[in-house]
Amino acid sequence: MTIRFDDQVVIVTGSGNGLGKSHALEFARRGAHVVVNDLGGARDGSGASSEAAQAVVKEIESNGGEAIANGANVADYDQVEAMVGQAVDKWGRVDVLVNNAGILRDKTFAKMDLADFQMVMDVHVKGSVNCTKAVWERMRERQYGRIVMTTSASGLYGNFGQTNYGAAKMALVGFMNTLCLEGQKYGIRVNALAPIAATRMTEDLMPEQILGLLQPEAVTPAVIFMCSEEAPNRQIIAAGAGGFAKVTIQETPGIFLKPDSLTAENVAEGWDKIADTKGERELQYGGEQTEKFVTGAANMLGIKLE
Ligand code: NAI
């Protein structure tokens, strides 16, 4: 099976550099019409330039592909809507959105200005929300859409100096979880990528030998899979250096305390059992947790639920 995107229209945000550029080139190689969006600012989000996006478009065109450059700031809804309009005017549709644009403003939380927290939230969270909002209705109408969020190990597991970035990246997992529930019956599938790659974002964080293993092109196959017709739904795929893994959030079976023993001391005493991962599972929607607790409590108390 060869994955192709012939006649499909793909928007990759922040695709003037790094991972986004690698994704954009690969979509184009596989027949997609690509919107190469990039604000063209510095790593911390300051400044703007259309050069990077235009260079990627040139590369796509010289390989015989079709692409347009767009300089929208994903954090600005009007600009994002104009970008989607540009794609629809030219090619009539949007099939795939890869929310990839991102910035860093690292500092320990003690030293971080709230403005640096907000800026990172704006680009990653509001940026992904804006782009998704601008394509969502069209995808619902056409009963087809593939959307990728770019999360990070920093959000999933934490990273010193990245409270703003980690919070933003985990917010995208929450955004995805509910979008999947709402998009499923309209043929829209949403997944998240947790990449690791040598780009300007990470170049000063790791030694050169390690960076050599972490080419952005090693991550892109996961994105192509998540945007294909046979894409999974509501998955988090970690990818880097040729490694691919699925990330899940699990809940343990836990314990149940009777009404007359509902105390903090009994929670403390039961902690080993609460934290016991045997039988843990990935819940598929929030209400499943309510069902689990209510059913467990009813069983313990001998109450028959209607
Ligand atoms: P990069 O800095 O090479 O590329 C990010 C691109 O986004 C840049 O070209 C930048 O101009 C663009 N951009 C920034 N703000 C924008 C805005 N407001 N509107 C439109 N474009 C904007 O970084 P890299 O590493 O390629 O990052 C891509 C994504 O992957 C980001 O979301 C990043 O957080 C994420 N990521 C990267 C990891 C890595 O190891 N490189 C690890 C985990 C996540």
Side-chain angles (χ1 to χ4, degrees):
M1 172 199 65
T2 307
I3 297 174
R4 296 285 307 172
F5 296 91
D6 299 294
D7 297 326
Q8 290 200 15
V9 178
V10 176
I11 298 175
V12 185
T13 68
S15 52
N17 291 292
L19 284 160
K21 176 180 174 184
S22 167
H23 305 336
L25 290 171
E26 187 61 15
F27 275 115
R29 253 180 240 122
R30 290 171 183 267
H33 303 320
V34 183
V35 177
V36 178
N37 158 267
D38 207 291
L39 176 64
R43 187 172 84 162
D44 69 355
S46 58
S49 148
S50 60
E51 268 169 46
Q54 273 163 2
V56 175
V57 168
K58 266 210 185 119
E59 194 170 335
I60 290 174
E61 286 173 345
S62 66
N63 293 336
E66 263 197 69
I68 48 176
N70 172 278
N73 175 354
V74 291
D76 180 318
Y77 188 71
D78 290 342
Q79 292 183 29
V80 166
E81 214 176 35
M83 168 181 73
V84 173
Q86 191 189 357
V88 173
D89 285 349
K90 183 145 174 82
W91 294 309
R93 57 200 253 193
V94 176
D95 301 275
V96 173
L97 166 66
V98 180
N99 287 305
N100 165 82
I103 60 165
L104 283 183
R105 293 208 166 179
D106 292 2
K107 266 184 197 147
T108 60
F109 190 58
K111 291 189 183 142
M112 187 179 292
D113 289 341
L114 288 178
D116 285 337
F117 203 102
Q118 189 63 49
M119 176 80 173
V120 167
M121 294 295 281
D122 281 351
V123 174
H124 292 276
V125 185
K126 201 159 157 246
S128 301
V129 171
N130 284 345
C131 294
T132 304
K133 184 71 180 167
V135 300
W136 191 251
E137 205 44 50
R138 287 174 207 280
M139 286 183 174
R140 272 167 43 113
E141 276 164 18
R142 290 191 55 241
Q143 303 267 314
Y144 187 87
R146 299 286 180 263
I147 298 175
V148 170
M149 304 295 165
T150 305
T151 181
S152 167
S154 176
L156 298 166
Y157 309 121
N159 212 10
F160 196 91
Q162 293 193 326
T163 49
N164 51 1
Y165 182 77
K169 288 308 203 186
M170 202 55 181
L172 295 175
V173 174
F175 183 40
M176 170 189 81
N177 285 339
T178 290
L179 280 177
C180 290
L181 298 173
E182 296 181 6
Q184 206 160 16
K185 69 170 182 244
Y186 299 101
I188 306 173
R189 298 184 196 167
V190 190
N191 294 283
L193 170 77
I196 173 86
T199 65
R200 66 178 192 172
M201 201 174 260
T202 46
E203 64 194 355
D204 52 357
L205 304 178
M206 286 178 270
E208 212 151 292
Q209 193 195 18
I210 293 179
L211 292 174
L213 289 170
L214 292 168
Q215 292 313 301
E217 292 73 21
V219 170
T220 296
V223 174
I224 298 294
F225 168 56
M226 287 191 278
C227 297
S228 66
E229 283 186 29
E230 300 307 317
N233 199 16
R234 196 184 178 265
Q235 302 299 315
I236 305 168
I237 301 182
F244 298 89
K246 171 179 146 90
V247 177
T248 56
I249 296 172
Q250 306 276 336
E251 185 165 314
T252 65
I255 62 166
F256 287 86
L257 297 175
K258 294 214 164 90
D260 59 0
S261 57
L262 269 174
T263 63
E265 289 73 15
N266 283 335
V267 172
E269 204 167 298
W271 178 244
D272 284 349
K273 195 122 201 287
I274 294 169
D276 184 355
T277 54
K278 187 160 177 274
E280 71 181 356
R281 71 194 170 91
E282 183 184 19
L283 306 184
Q284 296 304 309
Y285 56 96
E288 248 192 86
Q289 191 186 58
T290 314
E291 283 165 21
K292 171 182 133 179
F293 283 142
V294 170
T295 313
N299 287 344
M300 175 182 68
L301 299 168
I303 298 169
K304 211 165 177 270
L305 295 171
E306 306 280 295

